[in-house]
Amino acid sequence: MKKALVLYYSYSGNTKKVAAVLQKVLAEKYQVNMLELKALDEPDSFVRQCLRSLKKKQAQIQENISFDVSEYDLIALGTPVWAFGMAPAMRTFINKCSDFQLKDIIVFATYGSGVGKEKCLKEMAQISISRGAGVVKQFLVQQNDTADEQRVTLCIKEIL
Ligand SMILES: Cc1cc2nc3c(=O)[nH]c(=O)nc-3n(C[C@H](O)[C@H](O)[C@H](O)COP(=O)(O)O)c2cc1C
């Protein structure tokens, strides 16, 4: 059976809910591994979080995360939109992981107002391509919809 990795960062739980639905959907075709990034040095202040994201800072993440993704056929990367971009923990992973070797990549994000949501995914897609991705697919879920499993499932099935 093909293998998929769903790797995500979630500060307040929304992206985690979407990642769980994605796991369920992918499990129809893949053996799915889930990995949640933890940011060990993330401040709790909204303003500081925004500034770190704007400055494209990387976060310190837990040590047991492997950056070797060579065993997977599909890799899904999820983040909340923070100040029009990905959260620093996702930037750490996406910058350090092994080459994507033409694998299928899904980038996804949850967001609030929607400002910067396309910019966030565009950058993740561009970095994925620069790291050797084959096909890059993407989807977005508004924060109020993240608890609606049916709706999230539809969003995912539209891009698969
Ligand atoms: C520091 C910070 C910055 C944010 N910046 C944006 C933004 O630029 N655009 C947007 O639409 N939502 C923004 N949001 C809202 C989050 O993207 C949204 O609440 C998301 O669902 C949170 O996901 P999580 O619960 O997985 O952490 C921001 C939230 C935080 C905490």
Side-chain angles (χ1 to χ4, degrees):
M1 198 176 194
K2 286 185 169 185
K3 287 187 82 174
L5 172 68
V6 177
L7 181 138
Y8 63 94
Y9 174 72
S10 184
Y11 183 72
S12 54
N14 297 335
T15 313
K16 186 175 185 146
K17 283 183 208 144
V18 173
V21 180
L22 181 58
Q23 176 188 29
K24 225 173 171 176
V25 174
L26 291 177
E28 293 166 13
K29 287 190 187 155
Y30 296 84
Q31 181 199 319
V32 186
N33 279 3
M34 296 287 282
L35 268 180
E36 178 171 6
L37 296 175
K38 294 285 175 195
L40 305 178
D41 58 352
E42 198 59 67
D44 284 328
S45 143
F46 175 82
V47 174
R48 288 180 64 201
Q49 288 171 343
C50 287
L51 284 176
R52 274 162 56 85
S53 182
L54 275 174
K55 291 180 187 164
K56 301 191 187 299
K57 293 277 186 206
Q58 295 183 34
Q60 190 191 337
I61 57 174
Q62 69 267 46
E63 278 182 5
N64 62 350
I65 290 289
S66 168
F67 295 104
D68 181 1
V69 291
S70 55
E71 68 186 288
Y72 299 103
D73 301 288
L74 180 148
I75 299 152
L77 303 169
T79 180
V81 178
W82 273 15
F84 333 122
M86 71 188 96
M90 178 53 64
R91 194 174 290 284
T92 306
F93 185 82
I94 206 168
N95 282 340
K96 289 198 178 136
C97 64
S98 58
D99 192 272
F100 287 144
Q101 299 172 322
L102 297 178
K103 293 169 193 299
D104 292 344
I105 306 294
I106 297 174
V107 292
F108 65 99
T110 67
Y111 62 91
S113 67
V115 178
K117 62 186 194 304
E118 279 89 11
K119 184 168 180 272
C120 172
L121 288 193
K122 190 174 171 193
E123 189 191 11
M124 288 174 76
Q126 277 169 345
I127 296 176
S128 300
I129 289 164
S130 73
R131 302 192 66 82
V135 177
V136 183
K137 295 178 173 174
Q138 48 184 271
F139 69 94
L140 287 157
V141 183
Q142 208 278 333
Q143 60 186 13
N144 298 326
D145 293 335
T146 56
D148 184 340
E149 188 174 332
Q150 260 189 327
R151 205 166 173 149
V152 176
T153 303
L154 274 178
C155 272
I156 296 167
K157 292 204 163 167
E158 263 176 28
I159 61 136
L160 286 181

